[in-house]
Amino acid sequence: MPKRKRSTRPPPQESLLPQKRHYRQRAHANPFSDHALSYPHSPHACDWSILYPAFAGSGKTPEFADVGCGFGGLLIALAPLFPDTLMLGMEIRVQVSQYVRDRILALRATSNTPSSSPGQYQNVSVVRANSMKFTPNYFPKHSLSALFFLFPDPHFKSRKHKARIISPTLLAEYAYVLRPGGIVYTITDVRDLHDWMRTHLEAFPLFQHVSEDDLRHEGKGAILDAVFSGTEEGRKVERNNGQKWLACFRRVEAVRV
C-alpha cells in the first residue's frame, strides 16, 4: 500500500494570517513629510468601539501605547497577558500599519475562547499615525500607564537628530499623556541612540530612571521579556548576536513650589 503523502498545507490559523511579503515598504518614513493622515481633533472624538468592538460600552480607553509599533510583535506578545488592558500601536507607514491591522483581525477570527470572554486579541489595535505630531490627539491627559519606544529609527546623521522620537519637546507630550507612576520603556541596539534617549529622559524633570531589577520586583517581568524579545527587531538582533540597551523611566508627580 503506497504511503500517504504528508500534507504541506499550513494549519487553518496560519493560512489566515497575512504574509509580510505582501506588505513590503521602506524601513523608515520621514515624520516631517506631509503624510495623508486622518486623525481625531481631540481624544474625546475617538470612537474606540471601532478598534475594540468587544469592549464597546465599557468606557475603556487605551492604557498601553506602542509608538512606531512596526509589525506589531509587542502588541501580539502582550495581548494575552493583559486581556483587560487596551493597547494601541501607532505606525506611520501605510503598508506596515495595514499588515498589523490584518494580522490582528486574523488572530481574532481564529482564537478559541469561551463565549463569555471578549476573545483573544480583542484588546489590541493599530492606527496609522504620526506620533511626533498627533499623540495628544489620541490620548487624554494621564490616561496611559505604559509607553513603548522599541528599536526606533536612530537617524544617525546629526542633521536628522531632530527627527528622533525622544526630544525635550516630545517628552512634554509624553509626560502629559502618561499618568504618574506610568513607565516609559526604551530599547535599542544602537549605543549612541540609547545614550541620547537616556540623557534626554534623565534631564526631564517629570521622568525618573527605574532599573530593570526594580521593575521585575514590581511584577513587570512579563512586559520586560516582551520588550526584549517580543518584537521582530528584537529577535533579529538576537539572531545576529547583537547587543540591546534598555532604559526605563517612571513618570513622577510635578514638584509644586
Side-chain angles (χ1 to χ4, degrees):
M1 184 175 179
K3 290 184 178 180
R4 180 180 298 177
K5 291 185 179 180
R6 182 177 296 178
S7 174
T8 57
R9 278 185 167 184
Q13 183 176 14
E14 283 190 23
S15 64
L16 288 176
L17 289 175
Q19 303 299 310
K20 286 183 186 177
R21 65 178 181 272
H22 301 310
Y23 299 81
R24 290 301 177 189
Q25 191 169 338
R26 291 180 59 185
H28 308 294
N30 183 355
F32 301 120
S33 294
D34 185 19
H35 298 275
L37 296 170
S38 175
Y39 58 92
H41 60 78
S42 76
H44 303 293
C46 294
D47 185 357
W48 296 116
S49 66
I50 297 175
L51 298 180
Y52 309 97
F55 289 87
S58 68
K60 285 179 173 288
T61 61
E63 288 189 41
F64 290 6
D66 185 6
V67 177
C69 68
F71 290 99
L74 180 75
L75 298 172
I76 302 307
L78 291 180
L81 303 178
F82 301 89
D84 296 320
T85 299
L86 300 192
M87 311 177 194
L88 184 68
M90 306 180 79
E91 173 59 52
I92 195 172
R93 293 169 292 172
V94 59
Q95 288 289 89
V96 179
S97 60
Q98 185 62 52
Y99 169 85
V100 179
R101 187 174 296 111
D102 292 346
R103 182 181 184 185
I104 291 171
L105 291 175
L107 288 170
R108 288 177 180 178
T110 56
S111 297
N112 296 317
T113 55
S115 58
S116 59
S117 169
Q120 285 192 358
Y121 306 104
Q122 298 287 341
N123 59 327
V124 290
S125 193
V126 65
V127 292
R128 183 178 177 232
N130 185 344
S131 56
M132 291 183 68
K133 294 182 178 181
F134 303 126
T135 294
N137 294 73
Y138 287 93
F139 307 113
K141 181 179 181 180
H142 295 176
S143 61
L144 298 179
S145 61
L147 261 171
F148 299 92
F149 302 93
L150 311 187
F151 303 97
D153 190 338
H155 294 291
F156 289 108
K157 296 179 180 179
S158 297
R159 63 184 176 83
K160 290 192 173 183
H161 284 180
K162 62 184 179 181
R164 286 182 169 178
I165 198 64
I166 298 294
S167 70
T169 302
L170 292 174
L171 286 177
E173 294 188 356
Y174 303 150
Y176 177 83
V177 299
L178 197 65
R179 67 186 60 158
I183 304 296
V184 170
Y185 298 84
T186 76
I187 192 169
T188 179
D189 59 332
V190 179
R191 182 57 188 264
D192 173 68
L193 180 60
H194 166 75
D195 292 339
W196 167 282
M197 294 191 292
R198 178 161 182 160
T199 297
H200 281 77
L201 281 156
E202 287 177 338
F204 200 86
L206 294 179
F207 291 109
Q208 185 177 74
H209 181 257
V210 56
S211 71
E212 179 184 347
D213 288 341
D214 286 344
L215 288 174
R216 291 189 181 278
H217 184 71
E218 294 172 12
K220 294 182 172 61
I223 295 178
L224 289 167
D225 291 342
V227 166
F228 274 106
S229 303
T231 68
E232 289 77 1
E233 282 294 329
R235 292 191 289 270
K236 180 180 178 181
V237 173
E238 291 175 358
R239 290 195 300 270
N240 295 331
N241 296 316
Q243 190 168 355
K244 292 177 270 192
W245 286 276
L246 174 79
C248 301
F249 287 78
R250 194 187 309 277
R251 168 67 158 89
V252 297
E253 292 275 11
V255 178
R256 296 184 179 182
V257 294

